[in-house]
Amino acid sequence: MSNLLSKTIVAGLLVAVVFTTLALGTVEAWSVAIFHLIVLLVLMLWGGKAILERRLEIRIPPVALPLGGLLLVSLSQSLALIGRSGETRSLSMDVEATRGAAAMIFFMFVAFLLAANLFDTYERLHMFANFLIIFGLGLAVFALIQHFTWDGKMFWVRPTVSAGTGGPFVNRNHFAGYMEMLIPIPVALALSRSARLEARLFWGFAAVIMSIGEAAS
C-alpha cells in the first residue's frame, strides 16, 4: 500500500507539471484553482502515506531556504491595516494581487518540497529527467507546428491576442523561459558517458529540437 501511494504521489506531481503547462501556462483563475487542488490532493496522499508508515521524514534542501524567504516576503506584503477613516495601508500597492501571488508561491513551494522528498533516488531522478525530456520534446514540436499553422487561436480552438510562437503559453517569453529550464537536462545527459550511445543520440536530438523551438519563440 505504501509503495502504491508513493507511485500515486509521483504521478500526481507529473500531472501537475503537464497540466500547468498545457493550461495556457496557468495564468487564469480556473487553472490556478485546479493546480492548487492537485497539490492539496498530493499533500493529503503524502500525509496518508506517513500515517500508514508511522514515520514522517521531511528533507529540506538548501535551495528551499531562499524560496521560503520569498514566501515570507510575499506574506508580509499581503498584510493590510485599515485606518479609522477607512484607508488601507500595506507594503503592497495592490494587496489582492499580492495575496494571489503569495498563494501561488506557497503551493509551488509545497510542490517543490514534495518533489524534493519523493525524487530521492537515482531511479526516480532518472525517470523524472526522461519524463521532462520527452515532454519538452513534444512541447517543442507542438509549438513549432502551431507556429507555422498559426490562425490566431491557441490549440487551434481558443482565440487569443498571443503572437502564437509560445506553444501553449499566451506569453511567448514564458515559453522561452520554460525551454531554457528544460534544454540543459538532455544536454547534460547527452554529454555524459554513463549511458548507451542510442540514448545519448536521442537526448542530443531532443536538445536540438527544443533549441529550435526556443529560437522560434
Side-chain angles (χ1 to χ4, degrees), residues 18-46:
V18 174
F19 171 78
T20 52
T21 304
L22 299 183
L24 306 184
T26 314
V27 294
E28 298 177 316
W30 67 270
S31 53
V32 171
I34 293 177
F35 167 65
H36 291 177
L37 180 61
I38 293 174
V39 175
L40 283 176
L41 290 175
V42 172
L43 184 62
M44 290 174 60
L45 290 173
W46 187 63

Side-chain angles (χ1 to χ4, degrees), residues 71 73-75 78 96-108:
L71 176 61
V73 170
S74 66
L75 291 175
S78 300
E96 292 303 320
T98 300
R99 288 172 178 171
M104 178 59 81
I105 293 173
F106 171 76
F107 280 97
M108 288 193 295

Side-chain angles (χ1 to χ4, degrees), residues 105-163:
I105 293 173
F106 171 76
F107 280 97
M108 288 193 295
F109 182 69
V110 171
F112 172 77
L113 289 180
L114 287 170
N117 283 269
L118 288 169
F119 297 105
D120 56 349
T121 64
Y122 173 81
E123 290 75 15
R124 285 187 179 178
L125 281 174
H126 192 66
M127 179 275 296
F128 188 43
N130 280 307
F131 172 84
L132 291 177
I133 292 171
I134 294 173
F135 179 61
L137 175 61
L139 192 63
V141 171
F142 163 72
L144 288 170
I145 294 175
Q146 184 174 253
H147 171 65
F148 290 109
T149 61
W150 180 246
D151 60 352
K153 298 178 181 179
M154 300 294 292
F155 294 101
W156 303 281
V157 174
R158 179 172 176 177
T160 179
V161 295
S162 170

Side-chain angles (χ1 to χ4, degrees), residues 157-200:
V157 174
R158 179 172 176 177
T160 179
V161 295
S162 170
T165 54
F169 293 90
V170 178
N171 188 330
R172 56 185 173 183
N173 293 320
H174 294 172
F175 173 78
Y178 200 87
M179 285 290 106
E180 287 170 1
M181 291 190 293
L182 292 180
I183 291 173
I185 301 174
V187 170
L189 291 176
L191 294 177
S192 67
R193 298 183 178 180
S194 58
R196 294 180 302 173
L197 178 61
E198 294 84 353
R200 293 167 59 190

Side-chain angles (χ1 to χ4, degrees), residues 42 53-54 102 187 214:
V42 172
E53 296 177 346
R54 296 182 180 180
V187 170
E214 165 83 11

